[in-house]
Amino acid sequence: MAEDGPEAVAAVLPWTEQPIRAAEVVGALSLATDLGTGQPLEHALRTAVLAVRLGELAGASAQELVDTYYVALLHASGCTSNSHEAAKLYGDDIAYRAAFFLIDPTNPAEVLAFYRANVGVGRTPEVRAALLEDAIANAGPRAREAFATMCEVAQRFAGWLDLGPSIQAALEYVFARWDGRGFPDARGDAIPLPMRLLHVARDISLFLSASGPEEARDVVERRAGTAYEPRLAELALRNFEEILADLDETQMWEQAVESEPFPKLWIAGGRVDAAFMAIAALTGLKSPWLREHSTGVAELAEAAAWRMSLPAESVTLVRRAALAHDLGRVGVSNAVWEKPGPLGFGEWERVRLHPHFTERAFAQSQALAPIGILAGSHHERLDGSGYHRGTRGPSLDLASRILAAADCYAAMREARPYRSALDAPAAEAGLLHEAEEGRLDADAVNAVLSAAGHRVRQRPRELPAGLTARELDVLLVLVRGESNQAIAEDLGISVKTVGHHVQHVYEKAGVRSRAAATVWAFEHDLVRAG
């Protein structure tokens, strides 16, 4: 991580190798997590601005202000980690989050009303009643597990982006409270100052969108001394107009980027690629059906791009766009992605939006916009039948054609809730048919098929953290979201043995949850497309 003066280096590098503001990368990620939590796209950016302003009033140090800024942008980055489970309970993994953020989770009446309004949406009355009973009976343990997982995943993303140990440490306390009634059980000054600032700023931003400034002010006043440090709440109330001054929703990206405290952080070289691997992992956590998709598409697309003699700069663009291409899926409910039957008209319209969401997440950054444009083209087709733009052949460059073919082939080779995975010959036939029908570029299809047919899947000779070959087997099945029973059946071992292996994986990887173990597997390049 470089902290100053990248201009001299950037002047002699191609644009794909130039340093990028960490604020722009994390800001783009925050736009996606806003979509995934049912918030307006300015929420995390505005929270960062508010938190820094409040931190300055509170006399925070320069490092504390940097930490506050990045904690604010990253605090919801673990939101995809329980999407699969949330959709089963609530019927939707997005709308319920937006509703939950507005309640006081220590108020039993508000919690009960939240459950009654959100549990089992779309299910029969009998099923809803059973789900509601279970949700109430297991509310505490379920919430603690979800909060712990989301915090741990956010911490691992911060580490992956090399933002510094103090930011990682603070992200442990996203759901903490000043009075100790949150998660974890820390209270008062045991919660890092950047997170105490976030708690106030986040809720001001939430209620500004939900109810307006008067309600936002009232919430801060009501929750002072319980959810928030009294000193910070009092500062916010006394300086409320100053903190909110000149906020412009139409210019929130610019305001947030300009608000980054000094020293400004930059990422370059391998850290840029690591950032896009983190984006792929966040997308993969959205659903067990998607775990290996983005990395698989990236492998195929990069190999095909080399085969088609694209220059190194273009290959880098293809690889990063492939890793990021499905980020927009975060903004569409798992009720759609995991539906076992045909999609309705409205559901298809939501699906057609996800490439647009991907593109827009990167559109505000001059450095990242080219990646977003390419990533957003992965469902375009030569005959104009694709989405989201409906672009036709002459307007689709070679990189876009390669990405579309790689995405199509990888999806065919993966199982989906409504169909089984195709074997290699069937996927090859399907891809060739798409080319014959004029939807995919024939040369790009041939390059992708060549890449798929000539790849040799090899495990590293020395596995990270002392992982054994069998533990790797277990981890790779676990990454797909399978239960211990399913892992046992898949590998032909006992459930008890699987449990031992999972525990050993957790210990060696230094994680406490399946979601974090999945992120760790991506971090160490262990997840490969089959």
Side-chain angles (χ1 to χ4, degrees), residues 344-397:
F345 173 79
E347 292 165 330
W348 257 116
E349 288 304 303
R350 294 179 191 175
V351 167
R352 292 169 66 90
L353 281 174
H354 85 270
H356 171 72
F357 291 154
T358 296
E359 182 176 336
R360 297 311 300 170
F362 298 104
Q364 302 302 317
S365 165
Q366 184 177 356
L368 299 175
I371 298 171
I373 291 171
L374 176 55
S377 71
H378 67 279
H379 279 294
E380 301 295 342
R381 296 295 183 261
L382 296 177
D383 63 355
S385 63
Y387 55 89
H388 62 101
R389 307 185 198 102
T391 307
R392 290 185 175 272
S395 300
L396 291 173
D397 61 14

Side-chain angles (χ1 to χ4, degrees), residues 495-526:
V495 175
K496 183 176 181 180
T497 300
V498 169
H500 288 313
H501 286 316
V502 170
Q503 186 59 41
H504 294 157
V505 169
Y506 281 15
E507 292 170 358
K508 292 178 179 181
V511 302
R512 303 188 301 273
S513 66
R514 288 179 172 240
T518 297
V519 174
W520 185 86
F522 277 96
E523 287 174 350
H524 291 82
D525 202 26
L526 297 175

Side-chain angles (χ1 to χ4, degrees), residues 97-391:
R97 297 186 200 277
F100 181 80
F101 287 149
L102 299 179
I103 71 168
D104 179 351
T106 67
N107 184 317
E110 291 188 32
V111 173
L112 183 59
F114 163 78
Y115 278 139
R116 285 176 172 166
N118 291 280
V119 168
V121 172
R123 312 292 285 274
T124 65
E126 294 79 10
V127 172
R128 285 200 74 179
L131 288 172
L132 181 60
E133 181 180 359
D134 176 71
I136 294 171
N138 295 287
R142 180 178 280 121
R144 292 181 68 84
E145 181 180 0
F147 294 161
T149 297
M150 284 188 275
C151 289
E152 186 179 14
V153 169
Q155 288 178 295
R156 299 204 74 85
F157 284 141
W160 208 341
L161 295 168
D162 199 23
L163 293 177
S166 53
I167 293 173
Q168 284 183 264
L171 286 166
E172 177 82 13
Y173 301 91
V174 173
F175 300 98
R177 290 168 54 100
W178 176 259
D179 60 7
R181 298 181 66 190
F183 176 88
D185 294 330
R187 67 176 63 236
D189 291 336
I191 303 168
L193 177 59
M195 193 54 69
R196 302 192 318 258
L197 292 166
L198 167 73
H199 292 154
V200 179
R202 175 194 62 196
D203 289 357
I204 291 175
S205 180
L206 286 168
F207 283 92
L208 279 175
S209 295
S211 309
E214 289 306 314
E215 178 64 14
R217 180 195 288 271
D218 289 346
V219 166
V220 174
E221 188 171 10
R222 289 198 305 269
R223 298 181 181 180
T226 55
Y228 318 132
E229 178 184 352
R231 177 180 71 98
L232 297 182
E234 193 275 331
L235 264 179
L237 292 169
R238 190 170 70 242
N239 300 278
F240 202 73
E241 288 74 18
E242 178 183 348
I243 292 173
L244 268 60
D246 302 320
L247 287 178
D248 184 349
E249 293 179 3
T250 66
Q251 300 293 321
M252 194 54 65
W253 175 272
E254 291 80 2
Q255 288 186 332
V257 172
E258 290 171 4
S259 294
E260 182 187 8
F262 289 97
K264 299 184 186 300
L265 303 182
W266 297 77
I267 58 177
R271 301 312 305 167
V272 178
D273 287 314
F276 280 92
M277 283 295 295
I279 290 169
L282 182 145
T283 305
L285 286 174
K286 173 74 170 171
S287 170
W289 304 96
L290 304 174
R291 291 290 194 258
E292 302 176 31
H293 181 68
S294 293
T295 51
V297 173
E299 288 178 8
L300 283 172
E302 180 179 12
W306 284 120
R307 281 171 167 77
M308 298 192 74
S309 302
L310 267 65
E313 184 175 348
S314 296
V315 175
T316 298
L317 174 64
V318 167
R319 179 177 68 252
R320 292 173 181 171
L323 289 169
H325 78 283
D326 261 353
L327 180 61
R329 281 184 182 263
V330 174
V332 179
S333 171
N334 275 33
V336 174
W337 298 126
E338 298 182 358
K339 185 176 180 179
L343 298 181
F345 173 79
E347 292 165 330
W348 257 116
E349 288 304 303
R350 294 179 191 175
V351 167
R352 292 169 66 90
L353 281 174
H354 85 270
H356 171 72
F357 291 154
T358 296
E359 182 176 336
R360 297 311 300 170
F362 298 104
Q364 302 302 317
S365 165
Q366 184 177 356
L368 299 175
I371 298 171
I373 291 171
L374 176 55
S377 71
H378 67 279
H379 279 294
E380 301 295 342
R381 296 295 183 261
L382 296 177
D383 63 355
S385 63
Y387 55 89
H388 62 101
R389 307 185 198 102
T391 307

Side-chain angles (χ1 to χ4, degrees), residues 3-16:
E3 293 186 350
D4 55 4
E7 292 83 1
V9 176
V12 298
L13 291 174
W15 78 265
T16 51

Side-chain angles (χ1 to χ4, degrees), residues 368-499:
L368 299 175
I371 298 171
I373 291 171
L374 176 55
S377 71
H378 67 279
H379 279 294
E380 301 295 342
R381 296 295 183 261
L382 296 177
D383 63 355
S385 63
Y387 55 89
H388 62 101
R389 307 185 198 102
T391 307
R392 290 185 175 272
S395 300
L396 291 173
D397 61 14
L398 186 53
S400 297
R401 298 176 185 214
I402 290 170
L403 181 57
D407 173 68
C408 190
Y409 180 86
M412 289 178 180
R413 296 284 284 126
E414 300 159 359
R416 292 291 183 262
Y418 50 88
R419 63 159 174 81
S420 300
L422 301 185
D423 61 21
E428 179 181 3
L431 207 65
L432 289 171
H433 178 72
E434 290 297 298
E436 290 167 1
E437 293 294 315
R439 289 185 285 271
L440 293 177
D441 179 86
D443 290 336
V445 163
N446 288 337
V448 167
L449 290 174
S450 175
H454 289 85
R455 280 184 302 119
V456 178
R457 182 175 180 177
Q458 293 181 331
R459 290 174 178 165
R461 293 178 183 175
E462 184 175 350
L463 297 173
L467 217 62
T468 67
R470 179 52 93 185
E471 287 164 355
L472 177 61
D473 290 336
V474 170
L475 175 60
L476 292 178
V477 183
L478 179 150
V479 160
R480 300 202 300 266
E482 301 290 357
S483 66
N484 283 11
Q485 180 66 48
I487 295 173
E489 293 171 359
D490 189 280
L491 299 179
I493 56 180
S494 71
V495 175
K496 183 176 181 180
T497 300
V498 169

